[in-house]
Amino acid sequence: MLQLYFSPMACSLSSRIALMETGLDATYHQVHLWTKKLADDGDFHGVAPKGAVPVLVLENGEHLTESAAVLQYIADLKPASDLAPRPGDIDRYRLQEWLSFIGTEIHKAFLFPTFWYKDDGSLAKPRARIAQTLAIPSAHLAEREFLVGNSFTVADAHLTWALLLLRPAGVDVAQWPSLSAYLARMQMRPAVRDAIATEMALRKAMAA
Ligand SMILES: N[C@@H](CCC(=O)N[C@@H](CS)C(=O)NCC(=O)O)C(=O)O
């Protein structure tokens, strides 16, 4: 069976959403990102030298990391779920274009520094830039329901996760009406709603 190493509401949420959208069975292993400990007190570095989630353990035991790769792998396991356009179709490269943009321009350029640096001086530049960055998906989604093509893809799973983190990062998504409408729409999908509910409950349990 597939196995996913995740941390509640971290970027691995999009991999959980993708798995739930496909209906594929998986075992989920929770990682504490600060201590790098697993639930059984094992060391996550033994699983993933990068020390970061997501890690997908494949049926043959190989470990796959990086959200863009993990998400496309899950999508390709169940082509009937239509979570990614077929290779060779221009929309497959549009999907990769969005996954790369979300992973670098939104996640690493904004969300990552926001969660690591707490002082206003360090946060000023990423905060100033995020408005410019989010204007891109905002304009795109003003005209369309989904990021790529006419149906939900793993790029939507990844953007949904990123938009959910804006609030704890101190940014109000309501500034971009098309993004806040998109986020509400995505959360009406049963798999998205259930994945978020599961991880929010785990996060609350961690804080308790
Ligand atoms: N480039 C990786 C980034 C993965 C990543 O930064 N994961 C975060 C959680 S959202 C993490 O595990 N951070 C722990 C750390 O960097 O120590 C991807 O897109 O999957």
Side-chain angles (χ1 to χ4, degrees):
M1 197 192 295
L2 294 167
Q3 300 173 53
L4 181 70
Y5 286 81
F6 77 99
S7 186
M9 298 308 288
C11 52
S12 45
L13 174 69
S14 50
S15 298
R16 182 189 290 270
I17 292 173
L19 284 166
M20 291 177 72
E21 287 277 352
T22 60
L24 285 164
D25 279 337
T27 305
Y28 294 86
H29 302 287
Q30 187 166 336
V31 180
H32 194 296
L33 287 186
W34 308 125
T35 63
K36 309 292 179 197
K37 290 278 184 204
L38 301 170
D40 65 2
D41 221 32
D43 182 6
F44 180 50
H45 281 120
V47 175
K50 288 178 181 171
V53 294
V55 178
L56 186 71
V57 184
L58 314 185
E59 300 275 3
N60 68 2
E62 278 188 48
H63 290 194
L64 188 64
T65 63
E66 300 298 324
S67 300
V70 168
L71 288 167
Q72 292 183 73
Y73 185 85
I74 295 169
D76 287 343
L77 282 178
K78 265 285 180 81
S81 298
D82 270 337
L83 293 180
R86 307 290 178 266
D89 181 332
I90 178 63
D91 275 351
R92 182 59 175 245
Y93 310 100
R94 295 283 171 217
L95 179 95
Q96 293 181 8
E97 190 176 27
W98 279 112
L99 289 174
S100 177
F101 185 82
I102 297 160
T104 56
E105 305 304 329
I106 302 180
H107 182 186
K108 289 298 167 172
F110 176 71
L111 292 174
F112 184 80
T114 303
F115 281 92
W116 283 89
Y117 307 130
K118 296 295 172 206
D119 62 294
D120 283 342
S122 308
L123 288 174
K125 278 194 180 160
R127 280 206 173 124
R129 199 183 149 92
I130 194 65
Q132 198 183 322
T133 304
L134 289 181
I136 304 295
S138 169
H140 187 72
L141 289 164
E143 312 281 322
R144 332 156 49 105
E145 203 174 333
F146 302 99
L147 282 175
V148 180
N150 296 317
S151 62
F152 183 90
T153 66
V154 289
D156 295 302
H158 212 33
L159 183 61
T160 297
W161 157 74
L163 294 178
L164 283 171
L165 281 204
L166 289 179
R167 185 141 63 119
V171 174
D172 186 359
V173 72
Q175 292 169 69
W176 300 276
S178 67
L179 291 182
S180 79
Y182 167 84
L183 184 56
R185 244 179 6 254
M186 295 302 112
Q187 289 183 89
M188 287 168 69
R189 298 179 69 82
V192 174
R193 197 184 53 220
D194 292 352
I196 294 168
T198 300
E199 296 215 354
M200 285 302 286
L202 291 169
R203 201 172 168 87
K204 277 199 186 119
M206 278 173 81

